[in-house]
mmCIF file of all heavy atoms in Angstrom:
data_model
loop_
_atom_site.group_PDB
_atom_site.id
_atom_site.type_symbol
_atom_site.label_atom_id
_atom_site.label_comp_id
_atom_site.label_asym_id
_atom_site.label_seq_id
_atom_site.Cartn_x
_atom_site.Cartn_y
_atom_site.Cartn_z
ATOM 1 N N LEU B 126 -92.059 18.999 44.442
ATOM 2 C CA LEU B 126 -93.396 18.319 44.749
ATOM 3 C C LEU B 126 -94.508 19.267 44.724
ATOM 4 O O LEU B 126 -95.582 19.046 44.136
ATOM 5 C CB LEU B 126 -93.338 17.573 46.058
ATOM 6 C CG LEU B 126 -92.863 16.214 45.981
ATOM 7 C CD1 LEU B 126 -92.896 15.522 47.396
ATOM 8 C CD2 LEU B 126 -93.620 15.281 44.987
ATOM 9 N N GLU B 127 -94.331 20.466 45.218
ATOM 10 C CA GLU B 127 -95.456 21.444 45.284
ATOM 11 C C GLU B 127 -95.834 21.823 43.831
ATOM 12 O O GLU B 127 -96.995 21.955 43.524
ATOM 13 C CB GLU B 127 -94.985 22.607 46.095
ATOM 14 C CG GLU B 127 -95.204 22.492 47.534
ATOM 15 C CD GLU B 127 -94.567 23.708 48.335
ATOM 16 O OE1 GLU B 127 -94.131 24.705 47.751
ATOM 17 O OE2 GLU B 127 -94.463 23.565 49.597
ATOM 18 N N VAL B 128 -94.734 22.056 43.042
ATOM 19 C CA VAL B 128 -94.986 22.396 41.643
ATOM 20 C C VAL B 128 -95.758 21.312 40.900
ATOM 21 O O VAL B 128 -96.696 21.490 40.240
ATOM 22 C CB VAL B 128 -93.632 22.756 40.861
ATOM 23 C CG1 VAL B 128 -93.930 23.106 39.463
ATOM 24 C CG2 VAL B 128 -93.025 23.951 41.640
ATOM 25 N N LEU B 129 -95.252 20.054 41.077
ATOM 26 C CA LEU B 129 -95.861 18.948 40.409
ATOM 27 C C LEU B 129 -97.329 18.825 40.850
ATOM 28 O O LEU B 129 -98.157 18.541 40.045
ATOM 29 C CB LEU B 129 -95.109 17.654 40.787
ATOM 30 C CG LEU B 129 -93.679 17.477 40.178
ATOM 31 C CD1 LEU B 129 -93.034 16.176 40.703
ATOM 32 C CD2 LEU B 129 -93.712 17.515 38.680
ATOM 33 N N LYS B 130 -97.599 19.101 42.147
ATOM 34 C CA LYS B 130 -98.949 18.958 42.632
ATOM 35 C C LYS B 130 -99.873 19.905 41.945
ATOM 36 O O LYS B 130 -100.979 19.630 41.581
ATOM 37 C CB LYS B 130 -98.841 19.126 44.142
ATOM 38 C CG LYS B 130 -99.970 18.413 44.866
ATOM 39 C CD LYS B 130 -99.640 18.468 46.307
ATOM 40 C CE LYS B 130 -100.856 17.965 47.219
ATOM 41 N NZ LYS B 130 -100.594 18.250 48.599
ATOM 42 N N LYS B 131 -99.377 21.169 41.846
ATOM 43 C CA LYS B 131 -100.124 22.225 41.281
ATOM 44 C C LYS B 131 -100.450 21.859 39.774
ATOM 45 O O LYS B 131 -101.515 22.224 39.267
ATOM 46 C CB LYS B 131 -99.315 23.585 41.256
ATOM 47 C CG LYS B 131 -99.986 24.653 42.060
ATOM 48 C CD LYS B 131 -99.164 25.969 41.965
ATOM 49 C CE LYS B 131 -98.794 26.412 43.366
ATOM 50 N NZ LYS B 131 -97.665 27.487 43.292
ATOM 51 N N LEU B 132 -99.552 21.215 39.142
ATOM 52 C CA LEU B 132 -99.695 20.916 37.676
ATOM 53 C C LEU B 132 -100.401 19.613 37.528
ATOM 54 O O LEU B 132 -100.713 19.106 36.434
ATOM 55 C CB LEU B 132 -98.312 20.747 37.004
ATOM 56 C CG LEU B 132 -97.408 21.967 37.017
ATOM 57 C CD1 LEU B 132 -96.052 21.623 36.447
ATOM 58 C CD2 LEU B 132 -98.000 23.100 36.229
ATOM 59 N N ASN B 133 -100.758 18.947 38.695
ATOM 60 C CA ASN B 133 -101.442 17.676 38.697
ATOM 61 C C ASN B 133 -100.589 16.554 37.996
ATOM 62 O O ASN B 133 -101.129 15.800 37.269
ATOM 63 C CB ASN B 133 -102.775 17.817 37.938
ATOM 64 C CG ASN B 133 -103.856 17.242 38.757
ATOM 65 O OD1 ASN B 133 -103.622 16.499 39.753
ATOM 66 N ND2 ASN B 133 -105.076 17.498 38.435
ATOM 67 N N VAL B 134 -99.320 16.559 38.294
ATOM 68 C CA VAL B 134 -98.496 15.597 37.770
ATOM 69 C C VAL B 134 -97.884 14.605 38.760
ATOM 70 O O VAL B 134 -97.496 15.118 39.840
ATOM 71 C CB VAL B 134 -97.271 16.268 36.996
ATOM 72 C CG1 VAL B 134 -96.299 15.258 36.424
ATOM 73 C CG2 VAL B 134 -97.749 17.214 35.870
ATOM 74 N N GLU B 135 -97.931 13.307 38.539
ATOM 75 C CA GLU B 135 -97.374 12.391 39.427
ATOM 76 C C GLU B 135 -95.862 12.580 39.563
ATOM 77 O O GLU B 135 -95.261 13.211 38.709
ATOM 78 C CB GLU B 135 -97.583 10.967 38.873
ATOM 79 C CG GLU B 135 -99.067 10.438 39.063
ATOM 80 C CD GLU B 135 -99.507 10.371 40.506
ATOM 81 O OE1 GLU B 135 -98.795 9.787 41.290
ATOM 82 O OE2 GLU B 135 -100.532 10.986 40.884
ATOM 83 N N GLN B 136 -95.274 12.017 40.641
ATOM 84 C CA GLN B 136 -93.828 12.317 40.899
ATOM 85 C C GLN B 136 -92.908 11.346 40.328
ATOM 86 O O GLN B 136 -91.748 11.186 40.744
ATOM 87 C CB GLN B 136 -93.633 12.593 42.349
ATOM 88 C CG GLN B 136 -93.993 11.392 43.273
ATOM 89 C CD GLN B 136 -93.015 11.304 44.409
ATOM 90 O OE1 GLN B 136 -91.815 11.452 44.295
ATOM 91 N NE2 GLN B 136 -93.637 11.196 45.675
ATOM 92 N N ASP B 137 -93.370 10.563 39.230
ATOM 93 C CA ASP B 137 -92.356 9.740 38.526
ATOM 94 C C ASP B 137 -91.971 10.459 37.264
ATOM 95 O O ASP B 137 -92.664 11.382 36.743
ATOM 96 C CB ASP B 137 -92.967 8.389 38.195
ATOM 97 C CG ASP B 137 -94.158 8.536 37.388
ATOM 98 O OD1 ASP B 137 -95.301 8.782 37.927
ATOM 99 O OD2 ASP B 137 -94.068 8.362 36.029
#
Side-chain angles (χ1 to χ4, degrees):
Chain B
L126 269 181
E127 276 172 11
V128 176
L129 290 175
K130 211 169 167 188
K131 241 185 237 165
L132 300 172
N133 229 347
V134 177
E135 286 297 309
Q136 59 147 313
D137 60 278

